[in-house]
Amino acid sequence: MDNLLIELKKLIPQLPQEEQNRLSDDVLDKLHSIYPFNKFEYILSHLIAHKIISIQDYYNIRSSYLNRNKYLYIFEITAPRTFGENWAQRHLNEVVPELQRPSTLLDPGYSGEYDFWYHGIKIEVKASRAVKRGSKETLIMKALSYGSPFGFDMNFQQLKPKCCHVFVWIGVWKDRIIYWVLSNADVVNNPHYSKGQHRGNTGEGQLWIKESNIKEFIPYEVDVRNILNKIEQKYTESQLMTSL
C-alpha cells in the first residue's frame, strides 16, 4: 500500500493547482474512508478525470499492485479461529487433497486433537501471518511483504506435540506463502519452543518465528508439491527416534 501511495503521489503535481489542494497530505489524512471508498480510490478518480492516467494505466497499476499483494486478502480474515482453523485447514487440503479428515472410523481413539490423517500419521496444522512488530494499525495495514525491512512476529501457538506426529505450519506474507513441516520432536527440541503457553495447559506451548530466527527453519521449509513426501519423511524420523 505504501508503494501504491508513492506511485500515485508522483502524478499529483500534474493536476491543476485546485485539484492538487484537494489531494494534499492534510486532506488525505483527514479523509473519511469506508470500504471500498478510500484515499486510493479518491486519488485515482481525480487522475483519471483529468486524463493524467488512462484506463490502461489504471489497469497496469492495478495489476502491479495485485502481484505485490496476492495474499493480502488473507489478512482481511480478522477472526483468529476463522483464519487458523477454517482457512488454514481448507487451504492445506486443497493443495494436498490426499490428506483425510480424521474420524473414529480411521482412528478409534480420535477425539478432535489433530486436524488430518494420512495412513496412520496424525497431522496438526498451524498458520500465522507476518505483521509489522509494534504496529497498532489494523491487521491488513500492518501486513508485510516477504523480505520487508521491518521486524515481524509470526506466532504458532497452542502446539500440542503429544497429540500429533507431524506439524504443518503455514506462514503468510502479502506476496508469499511458506510451508514448514516438522515432527513433534522437532518442535519439542527447538530452542525457541516455549512450553506452558497458558497456566494449567500442560503439554501445550508456542513458538515465535521472527526475522532474527527464520533462517533456522530453512531445513523444515518445503515446496507445496513436496508437502506430502515431507510429512512421510518426518513421521519416519519421529518413529525411529521413538524406537531408540
Side-chain angles (χ1 to χ4, degrees):
M1 291 187 185
D2 291 338
N3 289 338
L4 177 59
L5 193 57
I6 291 171
E7 289 178 13
L8 295 180
K9 282 188 173 181
K10 288 179 180 178
L11 301 172
I12 291 177
Q14 299 180 43
L15 291 166
Q17 187 59 53
E18 183 180 353
E19 294 299 303
Q20 291 186 42
N21 294 339
R22 291 175 179 172
L23 299 175
S24 67
D25 288 340
D26 186 55
V27 171
L28 293 175
D29 289 342
K30 295 177 181 178
L31 187 67
H32 182 60
S33 299
I34 298 179
Y35 181 84
F37 299 100
N38 53 38
K39 59 185 175 184
F40 301 104
E41 162 270 333
Y42 184 73
I43 296 173
L44 283 166
S45 63
H46 283 73
L47 294 174
I48 293 173
H50 287 269
K51 295 182 171 51
I52 303 301
I53 63 174
S54 66
I55 193 65
Q56 186 59 53
D57 292 330
Y58 164 76
Y59 291 150
N60 292 340
I61 291 171
R62 185 178 188 276
S63 178
S64 176
Y65 177 81
L66 291 176
N67 286 334
R68 294 196 308 268
N69 299 276
K70 54 187 173 182
Y71 301 118
L72 187 60
Y73 72 95
I74 300 173
F75 290 81
E76 294 178 344
I77 305 172
T78 55
R81 176 161 294 190
T82 301
F83 165 69
E85 295 181 10
N86 296 358
W87 177 83
Q89 292 178 26
R90 185 176 66 251
H91 173 75
L92 182 63
N93 213 189
E94 287 173 351
V95 298
V96 190
E98 294 88 349
L99 300 181
Q100 294 178 279
R101 294 286 181 176
S103 69
T104 53
L105 294 175
L106 295 170
D107 175 10
Y110 176 69
S111 58
E113 65 272 27
Y114 58 92
D115 301 318
F116 288 107
W117 169 275
Y118 181 72
H119 297 312
I121 306 174
K122 300 175 182 179
I123 302 154
E124 176 73 4
V125 182
K126 295 294 181 182
S128 190
R129 293 167 284 196
V131 295
K132 188 188 302 181
R133 183 181 302 116
S135 173
K136 295 182 179 180
E137 296 179 292
T138 60
L139 186 62
I140 199 167
M141 291 300 295
K142 60 184 179 181
L144 293 177
S145 299
Y146 187 79
S148 167
F150 295 106
F152 71 88
D153 286 322
M154 188 172 279
N155 186 19
F156 294 93
Q157 54 186 327
Q158 295 181 324
L159 303 173
K160 301 181 180 68
K162 291 185 178 180
C163 294
C164 67
H165 299 118
V166 175
F167 287 95
V168 177
W169 291 352
I170 306 173
V172 182
W173 284 260
K174 291 194 299 181
D175 55 349
R176 184 175 179 183
I177 292 179
I178 290 182
Y179 306 91
W180 296 279
V181 178
L182 306 88
S183 69
N184 49 12
D186 289 331
V187 172
V188 171
N189 297 323
N190 191 286
H192 301 290
Y193 177 63
S194 175
K195 298 178 181 179
Q197 180 175 343
H198 302 293
R199 183 177 297 177
N201 286 17
T202 57
E204 179 179 302
Q206 62 183 329
L207 194 151
W208 293 81
I209 292 182
K210 308 178 181 182
E211 75 284 352
S212 59
N213 68 0
I214 190 170
K215 290 183 178 179
E216 298 175 34
F217 293 86
I218 291 177
Y220 309 112
E221 190 176 325
V222 60
D223 183 87
V224 64
R225 293 165 294 186
N226 295 320
I227 291 176
L228 195 59
N229 290 337
K230 194 71 169 181
I231 288 173
E232 294 178 308
Q233 176 192 329
K234 283 297 176 181
Y235 173 70
T236 301
E237 288 178 8
S238 66
Q239 295 303 106
L240 288 173
M241 290 183 66
T242 302
S243 64
L244 293 177

